[in-house]
C-alpha cells in the first residue's frame, strides 16, 4: 500500500489512508497498523476523524468509501505532505515560465503554492489569487521582495484553502492577467480538468477566462482519477508542467490540443 510510513504526522497518515481508499476501494485496520507502525487505537482515531469529515464510512475491521462524499478533498496540510518532492520539482520548473513583471494569477492547491514558493523576489509582479496559502506566502516575504500588489478574492473557503463561490467569481470577472498558474484534482483525456468541488469548478473557470496564458501544474498521479466536475478541457491549457511523461493516450490528446508538456527535471 505505502512504504516507509513510520513517524508520519496524523494529517499525513490520514491523507495516505484516503489515497489507499480511493485506490483499493477499502482499507483494513490491521493492514494500516502494520503499514504505519502505529497502534490499532491510533488507526481507529484516524478513521474516526475521517468519518466525521464524511471522507469514509467505518465498517467492521476497516473502512469503505462513504459514497459521493468521498469525493471531498483532503485538507491543505494533508495534501501538502503527499508527493512533496515532486511538487517542489514542478514548482521550480513552472516558476521559470512566469514573467518577472506583469500580472500572474494563482489558483488553489498545494502544487500551485509550490510554484509561488519558487518564484522568489517578485517586486515587479501583481498577483491575483483565490488561495489563502499563496497570499500568505507572498505577504510573508521581506518588504522589498513582495509583489507590487497581492489581490486576494473573497469567497467561501474550501478544504484546499481556496476561496470560491459567487463573491470570488464576481471579483475575478473584472481581471485580465498575463499568466494563470492552475492545478486540478484530476485529469483525463475525455474528462479534461476536474475537481470534486462544484463551486471551485465555477471559480476555476473564471480564472481561466481572465488569463491570456495558462500554465497547468499537476503530477502524474492526477491522470488516474476523474473527479466529480469538469471545469475545462485539455485545450484550455497552454503548458502542462508535470513530474513524469503523461500516459500515451494522454500525450496524444495533449499534442492534438496544442498543449506543450514540460517534465520537471529531477533533483
Amino acid at each position: 500500500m505505502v512504504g516507509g510510513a513510520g513517524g508520519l504526522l496524523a494529517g499525513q497518515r490520514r491523507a495516505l489512508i484516503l489515497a489507499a481508499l480511493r485506490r483499493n476501494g477499502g482499507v483494513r485496520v490491521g493492514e494500516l497498523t502494520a503499514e504505519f507502525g502505529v497502534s490499532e487505537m491510533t488507526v481507529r482515531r484516524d478513521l474516526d476523524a475521517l468519518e466525521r469529515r464524511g471522507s469514509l464510512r467505518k465498517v467492521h475491521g476497516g473502512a469503505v468509501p462513504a459514497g459521493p462524499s468521498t469525493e471531498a478533498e483532503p485538507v491543505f496540510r494533508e495534501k501538502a505532505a503527499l508527493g512533496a518532492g515532486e511538487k517542489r520539482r514542478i514548482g521550480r520548473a513552472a516558476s521559470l515560465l512566469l514573467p518577472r513583471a506583469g500580472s500572474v494569477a494563482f489558483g488553489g492547491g498545494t502544487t500551485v503554492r509550490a510554484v509561488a514558493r519558487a518564484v522568489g523576489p517578485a517586486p515587479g509582479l501583481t498577483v491575483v489569487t483565490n488561495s489563502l496559502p499563496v497570499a500568505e506566502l507572498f505577504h510573508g516575504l521581506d518588504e522589498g521582495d513582495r509583489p507590487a500588489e497581492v489581490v486576494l478574492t473573497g469567497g467561501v473557503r474550501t478544504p484546499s484553502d481556496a476561496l470560491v463561490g459567487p463573491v470570488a467569481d464576481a471579483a475575478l470577472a473584472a481581471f485580465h492577467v498575463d499568466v494563470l498558474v492552475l492545478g486540478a484534482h484530476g485529469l483525463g483525456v475525455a474528462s479534461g480538468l476536474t475537481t470534486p468541488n462544484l463551486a471551485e469548478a465555477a471559480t476555476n473557470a473564471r480564472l481561466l477566462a481572465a488569463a491570456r496564458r495558462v500554465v497547468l501544474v499537476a503530477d502524474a498521479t492526477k491522470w488516474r482519477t476523474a473527479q466529480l466536475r469538469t471545469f475545462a478541457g485539455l485545450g484550455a491549457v497552454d503548458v502542462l508542467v508535470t513530474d513524469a511523461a503523461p500516459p500515451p493516450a494522454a500525450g496524444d490528446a495533449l499534442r492534438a490540443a496544442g498543449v506543450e508538456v514540460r517534465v520537471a527535471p529531477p533533483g
Side-chain angles (χ1 to χ4, degrees):
M1 188 186 305
V2 292
L8 293 175
L9 300 175
Q12 294 172 315
R13 285 196 311 273
R14 292 168 190 174
L16 290 170
I17 288 170
L18 290 177
L21 189 69
R22 289 191 292 268
R23 185 169 61 249
N24 302 325
V27 293
R28 294 182 180 276
V29 171
E31 292 175 351
L32 295 174
T33 299
E35 201 68 51
F36 295 151
V38 296
S39 68
E40 182 175 306
M41 182 176 296
T42 296
V43 170
R44 292 191 182 280
R45 280 199 296 266
D46 288 339
L47 296 181
D48 286 340
L50 291 169
E51 186 174 50
R52 285 194 298 271
R53 274 176 33 201
S55 298
L56 53 75
R57 178 168 58 88
K58 290 174 61 183
V59 296
H60 180 69
V64 297
S69 60
T70 56
E71 296 289 349
E73 66 226 63
V75 296
F76 188 92
R77 65 180 179 274
E78 294 173 359
K79 291 178 67 178
L82 295 176
E86 289 81 359
K87 290 171 184 175
R88 283 193 296 270
R89 288 170 50 205
I90 293 169
R92 288 194 297 266
S95 70
L96 300 177
L97 302 176
L98 303 185
R100 305 310 299 173
S103 55
V104 178
F106 292 86
T110 55
T111 309
V112 172
R113 185 179 183 274
V115 181
R117 181 180 288 278
V119 168
L125 287 183
T126 295
V127 169
V128 177
T129 186
N130 69 323
S131 167
L132 289 167
V134 168
E136 290 168 359
L137 187 154
F138 282 120
H139 278 300
L141 295 177
D142 292 337
E143 186 172 352
D145 295 338
R146 292 175 196 155
E149 188 172 7
V150 178
V151 180
L152 177 65
T153 69
V156 177
R157 187 173 184 168
T158 71
S160 292
D161 284 347
L163 300 178
V164 301
V167 173
D169 298 348
L172 290 168
F175 284 99
H176 305 280
V177 298
D178 297 320
V179 181
L180 165 65
V181 181
L182 189 65
H185 292 266
L187 297 173
V189 172
S191 58
L193 284 59
T194 60
T195 175
N197 189 303
L198 298 182
E200 186 172 48
T203 299
N204 282 347
R206 287 286 189 179
L207 281 163
L208 286 162
R212 298 183 182 90
R213 180 172 172 83
V214 177
V215 177
L216 177 69
V217 290
D219 64 76
T221 65
K222 299 298 176 70
W223 292 103
R224 300 176 187 170
T225 306
Q227 297 290 344
L228 181 63
R229 176 70 180 270
T230 294
F231 62 87
L234 296 178
V237 175
D238 294 293
V239 184
L240 166 65
V241 183
T242 185
D243 62 316
D252 292 343
L254 289 165
R255 282 189 292 274
V259 180
E260 177 186 355
V261 177
R262 296 201 179 194
V263 177

